[in-house]
């Protein structure tokens, strides 16, 4: 059977963080989320027959803040998923949660529904930094929800952290690194703050760490986590004891996944599409038949574009690119197509047994290197 990832977007947040440009609406009434779950269930029911020959081996409920969904609505959502699709018994089932909306009742409902991976937004160990980001939780709330999740039996937890925050020094970031290490999650995602257009941060005068400090932060993070046995398997992701996120690996390995909800993306039958970031439009279109699919690429990608996409995604991963696999896929020699030797010489890439991958130093400037080597940009 054809393996497929399933993504469901929950576009509600208690309040908007100052740096965030994800599609999420302020959560004011519980009934809105209840109605939204009904909309998603109805969309899955309408499309289920398209995926009869597939087996769902990863589910990711993301947002927004999925932990805002009440326990009974969450159970309804999961019942519908299992009724509509063939779900593998070994499915990786991830859910994003924020410390302000987790409680024991919800955690037990997640367990009952088969959620086996929690991703909790920590972001920083300093309350002053959390306030600056517009987060509505404190470190204490994060720790309480983390330990509650452990008590409820979750043995695969990711903590999200951020660096290069306004006024952040290397020492301050070290406090977050050390605290996250003490908590000992199976997985850590660490993102560099990017100032996105249209966010409150984009309209503020911010004192951000310069590139040298950002570099020190990234290198310190990588060295510290790798020394403790975390596998640095993607630019921003670290996993212990084989706890890589199978769902996210699908995006980076060009495997198939389907998304439900406004702003969700899909890749199925060689076609990439997404739904507009507009809940009202999504709901209205669904009532009339189906939400309109929007397409990311021209339906016919050129060979250079396909190779570039492969290279760009594969180099995000610590596994890198195998010359042999590249040849099997495109019938071309990787080194003749891409001018990477200079980056091997400069120490930004490592070449070993026909595998090319970024070093940590290379990961840090990967956007610049990719711009330099890709053909179609
Ligand atoms: S909780 Fe997450 S999705 Fe919601 S506003 Fe903050 S960063 Fe964005």
């Amino acid at each position: 059977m054809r393996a497929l990832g399933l993504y469901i977007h929950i576009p509600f947040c208690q309040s908007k963080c100052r740096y965030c440009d994800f599609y999420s609406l302020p959560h004011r009434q519980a009934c809105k989320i209840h109605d939204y779950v009904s909309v998603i269930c109805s969309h899955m029911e309408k499309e289920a027959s398209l995926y009869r020959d597939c087996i769902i081996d990863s589910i990711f409920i993301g947002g927004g803040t999925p932990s805002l969904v009440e326990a009974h609505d969450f159970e309804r959502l999961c019942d519908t998923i299992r009724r509509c699709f063939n779900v593998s018994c070994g499915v990786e089932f991830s859910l994003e949660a924020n410390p302000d909306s987790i409680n024991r009742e919800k955690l037990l409902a997640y367990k009952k529904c088969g959620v086996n991976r929690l991703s909790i937004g920590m972001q920083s160990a300093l309350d002053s930094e959390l306030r600056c980001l517009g987060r509505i939780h404190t470190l204490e709330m994060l720790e309480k929800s983390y330990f509650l999740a452990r008590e409820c039996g979750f043995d695969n937890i990711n903590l999200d952290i951020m660096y290069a925050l306004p006024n952040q020094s290397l020492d301050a970031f070290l406090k977050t690194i050390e605290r996250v290490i003490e908590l000992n999650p199976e997985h850590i995602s660490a993102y560099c703050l990017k100032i996105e257009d249209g966010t409150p941060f984009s309209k503020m005068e911010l004192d951000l760490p310069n590139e040298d400090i950002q570099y020190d932060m990234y290198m310190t993070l990588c060295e510290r986590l790798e020394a403790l046995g975390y596998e640095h398997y993607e630019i921003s992701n670290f996993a212990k004891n084989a706890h890589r996120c199978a769902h996210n690996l699908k995006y980076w390995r060009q495997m198939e996944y389907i998304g439900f909800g406004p702003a969700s993306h899909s890749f199925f039958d060689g076609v990439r599409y997404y739904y507009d970031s507009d809940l009202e439009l999504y709901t209205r279109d669904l009532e009339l038949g189906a939400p309109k699919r929007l397409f990311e690429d021209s339906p016919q990608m050129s060979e250079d574009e396909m190779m570039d996409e492969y290279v760009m995604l594969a180099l995000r991963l610590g596994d890198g690119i195998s010359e042999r696999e590249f040849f099997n896929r495109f019938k071309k020699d990787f080194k003749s197509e891409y001018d990477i030797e200079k980056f091997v010489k400069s120490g930004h890439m490592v070449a070993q047994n026909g595998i090319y991958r970024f070093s940590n130093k290379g990961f840090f400037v990967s956007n610049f290197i990719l711009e330099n080597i890709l053909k179609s940009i």
Side-chain angles (χ1 to χ4, degrees):
M1 260 184 157
R2 197 165 159 187
L4 196 58
L6 170 67
Y7 176 81
I8 293 175
H9 191 68
I10 306 291
F12 299 96
C13 286
Q14 200 72 262
S15 80
K16 197 78 190 168
C17 304
R18 290 194 181 111
Y19 57 90
C20 177
D21 73 337
F22 293 149
Y23 178 58
S24 71
L25 306 164
H27 164 59
R28 302 235 163 74
Q29 303 152 292
C31 64
K32 279 225 156 154
I33 299 188
H34 175 85
D35 292 347
Y36 178 72
V37 169
S38 304
V39 168
I40 293 297
C41 289
S42 139
H43 193 185
M44 288 194 291
E45 280 158 0
K46 279 189 176 179
E47 294 209 343
S49 61
L50 300 174
Y51 308 107
R52 219 160 254 152
D53 299 335
C54 300
I55 183 143
I56 303 288
D57 61 356
S58 73
I59 301 174
F60 197 106
I61 308 214
T65 305
S67 50
L68 284 172
V69 178
E70 293 300 335
H72 60 275
D73 282 327
F74 190 78
E75 288 174 5
R76 193 160 57 92
L77 182 69
C78 293
D79 285 348
T80 309
I81 292 173
R82 289 182 192 277
R83 204 164 19 81
C84 290
F85 305 110
N86 304 308
V87 177
S88 156
C89 53
V91 68
E92 176 194 88
F93 190 164
S94 303
L95 177 114
E96 287 184 335
N98 274 329
D100 45 278
S101 48
I102 298 186
N103 59 37
R104 186 179 292 273
E105 186 201 1
K106 286 181 187 175
L107 286 164
L108 293 175
Y110 302 156
K111 264 266 139 190
K112 194 173 121 199
C113 293
V115 174
N116 50 26
R117 183 174 184 276
L118 273 188
S119 178
I120 308 181
M122 171 178 177
Q123 316 311 355
S124 166
L126 300 184
D127 287 345
S128 55
E129 289 180 352
L130 291 170
R131 276 195 300 277
C132 164
L133 292 169
R135 304 285 301 181
I136 52 171
H137 61 89
T138 58
L139 176 67
E140 194 188 342
M141 288 163 76
L142 173 274
E143 293 187 344
K144 241 173 126 180
S145 42
Y146 179 84
F147 292 123
L148 188 59
R150 288 291 195 213
E151 252 179 69
C152 292
F154 286 92
D155 57 6
N156 186 3
I157 300 184
N158 167 63
L159 291 177
D160 276 343
I161 58 169
M162 293 174 83
Y163 64 96
L165 309 183
N167 304 309
Q168 192 179 39
S169 63
L170 178 59
D171 274 353
F173 181 51
L174 276 174
K175 292 198 171 87
T176 294
I177 297 180
E178 292 312 317
R179 193 62 200 123
V180 79
I181 286 171
E182 278 163 25
L183 289 169
N184 197 22
E186 285 67 31
H187 191 285
I188 297 171
S189 299
Y191 298 104
C192 182
L193 173 68
K194 268 179 55 198
I195 306 300
E196 305 286 358
D197 286 347
T199 59
F201 266 178
S202 70
K203 296 173 193 110
M204 293 162 73
E205 287 277 323
L206 299 172
D207 187 5
L208 297 167
N210 64 33
E211 274 215 359
D212 289 343
I213 301 175
Q214 288 185 28
Y215 177 78
D216 288 344
M217 288 175 170
Y218 184 68
M219 294 306 272
T220 309
L221 171 84
C222 297
E223 282 159 19
R224 194 76 182 94
L225 295 186
E226 287 167 17
L228 289 166
Y230 281 93
E231 183 200 11
H232 188 184
Y233 74 101
E234 197 268 345
I235 301 180
S236 312
N237 286 285
F238 303 82
K240 247 193 194 170
N241 306 328
H243 283 97
R244 292 174 169 202
C245 176
H247 186 85
N248 285 340
L249 279 168
K250 282 186 188 281
Y251 301 142
W252 302 317
R253 290 191 170 146
Q254 295 175 303
M255 293 159 85
E256 292 187 311
Y257 51 88
I258 47 168
F260 290 89
S264 68
H265 288 239
S266 304
F267 176 45
F268 189 69
D269 263 348
V271 180
R272 290 184 192 283
Y273 63 88
Y274 63 99
Y275 297 116
D276 215 342
S277 302
D278 185 333
L279 175 55
E280 271 184 39
L281 183 70
Y282 182 90
T283 310
R284 203 173 54 228
D285 283 356
L286 184 67
E287 279 165 7
L288 297 172
K292 191 168 168 216
R293 293 180 176 186
L294 303 167
F295 297 93
E296 289 177 7
D297 315 307
S298 50
Q300 277 299 304
M301 278 170 95
S302 71
E303 192 179 32
D304 279 353
E305 283 170 335
M306 284 195 282
M307 283 197 302
D308 276 358
E309 187 182 83
Y310 176 84
V311 168
M312 193 169 63
L313 293 171
L315 283 180
R316 291 184 67 107
L317 297 174
D319 291 343
I321 289 186
S322 146
E323 274 184 286
R324 183 140 41 100
E325 264 179 53
F326 186 88
F327 183 81
N328 288 343
R329 200 164 176 136
F330 300 107
K331 302 290 171 263
K332 289 194 171 168
D333 176 49
F334 175 58
K335 277 184 300 183
S336 316
E337 294 297 318
Y338 292 94
D339 183 16
I340 44 170
E341 281 305 327
K342 60 184 180 218
F343 296 111
V344 175
K345 283 199 187 102
S346 66
H348 290 92
M349 292 190 85
V350 179
Q352 214 172 24
N353 305 327
I355 309 274
Y356 287 83
R357 58 180 179 78
F358 280 129
S359 60
N360 287 339
K361 173 171 139 179
F363 270 145
F364 184 73
V365 287
S366 56
N367 285 343
F368 166 79
I369 296 176
L370 288 170
E371 267 174 38
N372 194 281
I373 62 170
L374 296 183
K375 296 150 176 293
S376 58
I377 54 169

